[in-house]
Amino acid sequence: MAEDFAEALRALVEAESPSADLGAVEECGDLLADLGERITGAPPERLASEDGPSSLVWRNGPPDAPGRVLLLGHRDTVWPLGTIAERPFRVDGGRALGPGAFDMKAGLLVGLYAMAAVGRRVPVTFLVTGDEEVGSAASRALIEREALAAQAVLVLEGAADGGAFKRARKGWSIYTLQCRGRAAHAGLEPHKGRNALVRMAELVAESVLLNAPEDGLTVTPTMASAGRTVNTVPDRAELHLDVRVGTAADQQRVDTRIRTFAGAAGGVDVRVEGGPNRPPMEESAATALLSRTAEHAAALGLRPPESAAVGGISDANICAALGVPTLDGFGAVGGGPHAAHEWVDLHATRQRVPLVVALVTGLAERPLTGP
Ligand SMILES: [Zn+2]
């Protein structure tokens, strides 16, 4: 598998697939379908979407078999077309480099080789979407359906540092506060104005008071704009807030609080837009899977798995929020997601394959929650 793996990774990385370029994401899907058929011996189902790229699904085992495990990945990347010309795929001392290699084309190969190695009768689904990097709007319903049909979800995103699994991910909310006051000449009759910028500044101060970094809760004003000319009381101002939370309860509480910013004060009217985008993936969703992973890693003679709580979001958040046991980081071992130096440790990444196979097989024989 060693050479095949690197060559297959080269093909996948060279099929550039920025989320914004639907045609390119579909072409990468064509290549993945062919590659996957060669590796697993079966073509995928290709599920079209009206408002985004298609998804690919490989399925082993009888469709209605209990104890199904979902392997989840995405083929879109954050890299624009042409990046491959600047940073061609290469292998250097056991590391593979190239745009999207770590996030997460190497993970897609872990999925395909695992599907090939696991018994045909073992109930496992491998779903590959094409819009994760832009929020999974087009694939979300499908992800939820497949997750709810599964006893557990293994997400094939790249691992945290040193190959650690991701046992918790923060939730994310985004808000836009629209402030509307009244314009007036700042010299002739400033008292007739209602200053939207001053109201916005008050809201900046109020919002940062919600910060509780010790609880993993951050509220960050990220962008702001106000005013039309240097000598006019501004009648409008716009403020963007980025909110990261560790628990669903915090996400709800902050949402309620930010919504109280709406309404009129001092002659300025405030409208709150936005809200929770991804729920947090709380640690409890990963605990049982993490101990199973440790069991199988020991049996395979692999290093005991480490795990990390991370700030970034992935489709693992969607699955965990449904209450389905979910563990992330089964894909590439390496580093540098969304960075020009992203790299994949080929040997350590290939070792994910027998681990995923053992987990899936073990879960089929001994489900997490008995009947
Ligand atoms: Zn990713």
Side-chain angles (χ1 to χ4, degrees):
M1 180 172 71
E3 258 142 67
D4 293 355
F5 194 97
E7 277 315 298
L9 182 56
R10 171 192 298 280
L12 268 180
V13 169
E14 289 179 349
E16 292 184 283
S17 49
S19 315
D21 193 322
L22 205 56
V25 174
E26 287 308 279
E27 278 178 38
C28 178
D30 297 342
L31 183 125
L32 181 66
D34 288 346
L35 189 64
E37 185 168 358
R38 279 211 301 279
I39 294 172
T40 68
E45 249 180 277
R46 192 82 176 250
L47 302 173
S49 164
E50 288 201 344
D51 34 48
S54 63
S55 293
L56 282 66
V57 183
W58 281 268
R59 243 182 259 281
N60 283 10
D64 52 352
R68 184 165 287 275
V69 174
L70 175 63
L71 308 179
L72 183 57
H74 66 86
R75 68 185 184 279
D76 58 318
T77 77
V78 296
W79 300 106
L81 287 185
T83 308
I84 192 73
E86 293 159 28
R87 286 193 284 119
F89 177 87
R90 68 195 166 93
V91 177
D92 183 1
R95 290 183 171 197
L97 300 100
F102 178 78
D103 185 8
M104 59 157 276
K105 287 179 171 172
L108 297 180
L109 288 174
V110 171
L112 289 176
Y113 281 104
M115 292 300 284
V118 88
R120 296 290 308 163
R121 302 292 302 165
V122 174
V124 54
T125 300
F126 180 26
L127 168 62
V128 180
T129 66
D131 65 341
E132 193 273 342
E133 299 289 2
V134 288
S136 308
S139 57
R140 186 170 187 135
L142 178 61
I143 293 169
E144 290 182 338
R145 193 165 76 232
E146 293 294 344
L148 285 170
Q151 63 155 321
V153 183
L154 310 183
V155 182
L156 304 176
E157 291 277 4
D161 283 351
F165 293 93
K166 296 167 177 174
R167 66 175 187 273
R169 283 179 176 274
K170 284 191 179 179
W172 184 40
S173 308
I174 32 174
Y175 296 92
T176 304
L177 307 184
Q178 302 282 359
C179 307
R180 293 284 179 274
R182 189 195 310 145
H185 194 292
L188 295 176
E189 42 187 18
H191 55 283
K192 289 193 176 166
R194 296 293 177 265
N195 197 320
L197 172 56
V198 169
R199 179 67 187 127
M200 183 181 81
E202 290 167 0
L203 294 175
V204 170
E206 275 190 60
S207 64
V208 297
L209 287 177
L210 299 172
N211 269 299
E214 65 283 4
D215 298 328
L217 164 62
T218 56
V219 178
T220 307
T222 51
M223 293 202 298
S225 62
R228 297 173 189 273
T229 73
V230 295
N231 60 352
T232 303
V233 175
D235 65 342
R236 52 184 57 205
E238 189 178 276
L239 172 65
H240 296 267
L241 301 175
D242 175 297
V243 177
R244 307 281 165 156
V245 295
T247 67
D250 274 352
Q251 191 167 40
Q252 184 57 53
R253 189 172 59 73
V254 170
D255 186 68
T256 304
R257 184 74 186 84
I258 287 177
R259 291 195 186 286
T260 66
F261 294 172
V268 177
D269 196 59
V270 176
R271 205 170 70 228
V272 176
E273 297 166 356
N277 177 282
R278 307 276 181 109
M281 171 181 159
E282 297 188 30
E283 202 159 326
S284 54
T287 314
L289 277 174
L290 201 53
S291 64
R292 285 293 181 96
T293 304
E295 277 176 39
H296 291 293
L300 290 164
L302 301 173
R303 275 197 310 143
E306 291 173 5
S307 68
V310 297
I313 50 179
S314 84
D315 288 334
N317 295 61
I318 294 174
C319 302
L322 297 170
V324 182
T326 301
L327 187 58
D328 197 354
F330 280 95
V333 178
H338 298 195
H341 65 277
E342 74 176 295
W343 59 279
V344 173
D345 177 331
L346 286 169
H347 178 70
T349 301
R350 283 197 308 268
Q351 286 185 328
R352 294 298 215 210
V353 175
L355 183 60
V356 169
V357 170
L359 253 170
V360 167
T361 311
L363 285 164
E365 289 163 358
R366 188 164 50 98
L368 283 182
T369 47

